[in-house]
Every structure is written in C-alpha cells, then in structure tokens.
Amino acid sequence: MEKRKIGKTGIEATVIGLGGEHLDNQPYEVVEETIHAALKQGINIMDLFMPGEAVRQNIGKALDGNRDRMLIQGHIGSVDLKEQYDVSRDPEICKKYFENLLRDLHTDYIDFGMLFFIDSEAAFDTVFNGEILKYAQKLKRDGTIRAIGTGSHNPSIAAKVVESGVIDLLLFSINPAFDMTPSEHNVLDTFDTETAFRVQDFAGIRPDRLALYKLCESQSVSITVMKTLGAGKLLSAEQTPFAQPLTVCQCIHYALTRPAVASALIGCKSREQVLKAARYTTLSDEERDYTDALRSFQSFAGNCVYCGHCAPCPSAIDIAAVNKYLDIAVLDEVVPPSILQHYQSLSSHGSDCIACGSCEERCPFGVSIIENMKKAAKVFGV
Ligand code: SF4
Ligand code: SF4
C-alpha cells in the first residue's frame, strides 16, 4: 500500500489507516479480526483516542507480536473519569492515562503522542503554554513517543497549533461536506451584498480550511484525517448534503487529494469494512473520482448554515449556536465533551423553545428549527 511521509519524522504511514472508535465496546474477537485484517492489507497506522481500559487491552492483545507493524496515534488528555469520555488538562491525570496506554498495549513507546482535542483558544493556551506540552516534549526526548501531534476540528485553532512549530502531525476532520460548509463569516458577507442570495456562492472550499491545509503543507506538518466518511452520512442517500451519495473510495480519495494529507483513517469494526476501505488502492482514477457528486452541490435547503437570520428568539435561544453544536454532536455516537460544555454554557437551550415558529418564517434555508430544538434537548439532555 502506498505510504506517505509524516512531517519531518522520517516515518511513513499508509494512505489508508484505521480509526479506532468503532472498536470500543466490542468483544476481543471483533477487535482481533479487524486489526489482523488491517495488518494483512498492509495498513500501518491507527488512531487510538479511546481512554477505556477494555478497548486498549483488546487492541494491545491483538497487536501482540505485531506492535512494530502498526503506528499508533495515542492521545494525551483523553480520559474516562466517572466512566465517561472526557478531556483532562490536569498534567498528572494525563500522565496516568498515557502510562496506562503503554501498559495496556504491552509496549514502551507510542509513535505519535497526540495532544488531545485542541479545539478552543482556552485548550490551546492551557496545553501549549503549560505542563502538558512540556510532558509531551519530555516523552519525545526520552524516546517514549517518536513525534508530537495534535487532534483538532477547528481550522483556526489548528492553524495556531501548526504555527507553534511543535507538531509533526495533525489529526483533522476532513470531508467534502465539512470543506464546503461555509463559515459564518462568509455567509454574512454574502448577505451584506446587494446581490440576491445565491446558493452557488457556497460551492467552494472554505477559505480557512484551505488555508490550514496549505499551511500544513508549507510547514511540513502532515494530516491524518478523521470523519473521512462524515460519520457515514456522505454515503447515505437520505443524509448526504449532495444530490447523490459518495462511495467510501470517493470520500477517501477526496481526503487524500487535500494538501498535506498523509492518511485517511477509516473507523472499522469488521474484516469486511477493512477490505472495503483498502479496496481504494485497487481502483482506477475514474472509480475514485468524486467530482460528479460535488458538481451536484447546489442546495443547502433544510441545512443550517449558522447565519443567524432566524434571531431574535423570544426564549433567547441562540438558534445558530444550538444548531451548530447539534450538527457536531450527532456526528458521533458519544457527544464530544467540549461540545456538551459549550452547549451547556448557553443561556437558553433547546428545551426552552416554545414553538412560536417566528424563527422558521425568517430562516432563508427552510430549516426545521422547532424540530432541531427538540432534538437538541434530547441529545444534550436540556
Ligand atoms: S420557535 Fe422556538 S426557537 Fe424559534 S423563535 Fe420561537 S421559541 Fe425560539
Ligand atoms: S436556522 Fe436558518 S436562519 Fe437560523 S442560523 Fe440556521 S440557516 Fe440561519
């Protein structure tokens, strides 16, 4: 399988990698089957952000005898305090979980020590100007990790991380829908002009995301891709934002054709799913081509673009923010802790909606806002 360089490390990763999240809460047999299938296909990189002891031990057992054939992205700051996924910025807790990862994987090194979930200014400041980065640098000096990386979903924060010059590897969420969903700024610019609103205005890659990819390329920081398939939504005729669903291989090809991308990580929990992803390497350029699907990108009808035109709300709900956090939350089986915190910190929540309907009259995109508020109340519990 084709390999690409990771930053300036000299390490090379296969273009298809394994996302670990679907191995969580699976019996050992499933974990073994999936990892052994990946190894057999020549896949040499996997992400392991999961903090749970059981899944880590299962992966460790499945890798016994093959540890040196799989590059591991191990995260610093991913914890499961109170038996729930969480982010910790406590250096001692981060250290404990990282040491436990080494123990559970029966190894004395992790290839990429990933500073976990750097999505906000606060996270950046705490981690990069504090003890956690120093801990990662010490791990690198003593050879316990081979390189430092970061995981992020936020292009502007990720750019700050890259500019810090500390990392060789960025784990970032990339797919065509994410790339083409306009940033709030761009949408408002469009509405500020005299010209009528045109959906074609959105048929391009978000400038901040494109700038990030280019920055990574220019700084020799490699990207491994998460959310390659948009949590499966891009493959579904019902859920895709495009006029037609993409194939797994088209999504992979899209990710691999972004600047700086080294590997597209695909969450798998069976041999069949591994084979389906690895099939990418056998396809022709025509079979990988995603341009037809993207050319059909003509309408945002029903999709919130976070423009804020639905305000004001008599219940003081920040509808755009609720929709944004909801969109992110439903991409995962488990609501990311930082997203839950952001949602909880809003002054009003989905449960405050009185269904007056005035927002829906103002929304230019026909978003089912009342439904979304109900869904948010259910997903976030308030
Ligand atoms: S329908 Fe709900 S969200 Fe919309 S304006 Fe009325 S109270 Fe607010
Ligand atoms: S619900 Fe409609 S008006 Fe409100 S932020 Fe979303 S797209 Fe804009």
Side-chain angles (χ1 to χ4, degrees):
M1 187 176 291
E2 181 196 342
K3 291 179 182 170
R4 294 183 181 177
K5 287 179 186 160
I6 300 290
K8 298 170 186 156
T9 62
I11 303 169
E12 292 192 338
T14 48
V15 289
I16 309 291
L18 194 58
E21 72 272 25
H22 297 315
L23 299 178
D24 216 1
N25 298 313
Q26 298 292 338
Y28 173 70
E29 293 70 28
V30 169
V31 175
E32 183 188 271
E33 175 190 300
T34 306
I35 288 182
H36 286 192
L39 289 168
K40 199 167 176 191
Q41 291 301 311
I43 290 172
N44 82 343
I45 182 167
M46 73 176 291
D47 186 73
L48 204 174
F49 82 89
M50 303 82 74
E53 195 173 86
V55 65
R56 289 176 167 195
Q57 288 179 349
N58 280 343
I59 291 171
K61 190 174 165 190
L63 282 174
D64 272 346
N66 288 303
R67 170 67 190 90
D68 59 349
R69 291 175 60 199
M70 188 66 86
L71 302 167
I72 303 281
Q73 294 184 171
H75 292 252
I76 301 170
S78 168
V79 300
D80 64 347
L81 300 173
K82 298 179 192 159
E83 298 184 357
Q84 290 193 338
Y85 277 11
D86 209 339
V87 182
S88 176
R89 303 304 182 199
D90 179 323
E92 286 309 310
I93 293 176
C94 292
K95 186 174 172 197
K96 179 182 141 199
Y97 273 81
F98 193 76
E99 287 174 353
N100 288 351
L101 177 64
L102 293 168
R103 180 201 65 197
D104 292 341
L105 293 186
H106 317 142
T107 187
D108 57 3
Y109 75 98
I110 295 293
D111 302 278
F112 305 109
M114 308 295 288
L115 299 166
F116 185 56
F117 221 117
I118 311 296
D119 272 24
S120 65
E121 290 283 352
F124 177 82
D125 286 342
T126 306
V127 171
F128 280 78
N129 297 319
E131 293 304 311
I132 296 175
L133 176 60
K134 287 181 191 159
Y135 173 58
Q137 290 172 321
K138 177 184 168 299
L139 289 173
K140 189 176 171 188
R141 276 196 304 278
D142 68 23
T144 308
I145 61 175
R146 300 169 73 188
I148 298 174
T150 288
S152 179
H153 308 76
N154 181 323
S156 60
I157 302 296
K160 273 186 89 160
V161 171
V162 173
E163 281 164 349
S164 74
V166 168
I167 65 166
D168 278 291
L169 178 62
L170 174 68
L171 173 64
F172 193 69
S173 43
I174 300 177
N175 63 57
F178 281 12
D179 272 355
M180 294 193 181
T181 299
S183 67
E184 190 170 292
H185 178 74
N186 284 349
V187 176
L188 291 175
D189 283 349
T190 303
F191 276 97
D192 282 342
T193 65
E194 293 295 316
T195 52
F197 176 75
R198 298 184 311 137
V199 289
Q200 296 96 304
D201 291 341
F202 297 129
I205 297 177
R206 271 175 56 168
D208 53 351
R209 298 177 69 92
L210 191 54
L212 172 66
Y213 308 152
K214 287 183 175 170
L215 177 69
C216 287
E217 185 80 42
S218 68
Q219 301 294 309
S220 299
V221 170
S222 298
I223 300 174
T224 49
V225 176
M226 56 178 159
K227 305 284 185 280
T228 309
L229 313 179
K233 285 187 171 184
L234 298 179
L235 314 177
S236 154
E238 290 75 36
Q239 293 178 298
T240 180
F242 305 109
Q244 63 194 68
L246 284 97
T247 64
V248 170
C249 291
Q250 285 171 333
C251 291
I252 291 172
H253 196 50
Y254 180 84
L256 291 175
T257 47
R258 302 307 95 193
V261 168
S263 183
L265 308 184
I266 308 296
C268 298
K269 58 180 176 187
S270 68
R271 178 176 174 275
E272 287 68 35
Q273 289 179 355
V274 170
L275 294 183
K276 199 169 179 183
R279 185 169 168 268
Y280 169 83
T281 60
T282 68
L283 295 184
S284 65
D285 285 347
E286 289 72 28
E287 289 169 305
R288 295 171 173 181
D289 185 20
Y290 49 78
T291 50
D292 269 354
L294 300 198
R295 247 181 240 133
S296 65
F297 191 63
Q298 289 171 354
S299 173
F300 280 89
N303 294 300
C304 181
V305 298
Y306 322 125
C307 64
H309 279 248
C310 44
C313 165
S315 298
I317 301 172
D318 182 341
I319 298 167
V322 170
N323 280 342
K324 189 182 289 184
Y325 298 147
L326 180 63
D327 286 351
I328 297 170
V330 296
L331 289 175
D332 289 300
E333 288 174 16
V334 179
V335 177
S338 69
I339 300 304
L340 180 59
Q341 281 167 14
H342 286 315
Y343 180 83
Q344 288 171 336
S345 68
L346 295 172
S347 60
S348 298
H349 302 97
S351 57
D352 295 311
C353 178
I354 58 171
C356 70
S358 60
C359 54
E360 293 194 353
E361 289 170 12
R362 287 189 290 270
C363 175
F365 299 96
V367 175
S368 301
I369 301 173
I370 297 171
E371 274 308 304
N372 280 4
M373 296 303 116
K374 283 184 194 160
K375 199 169 170 189
K378 194 168 170 196
V379 168
F380 294 110
V382 59

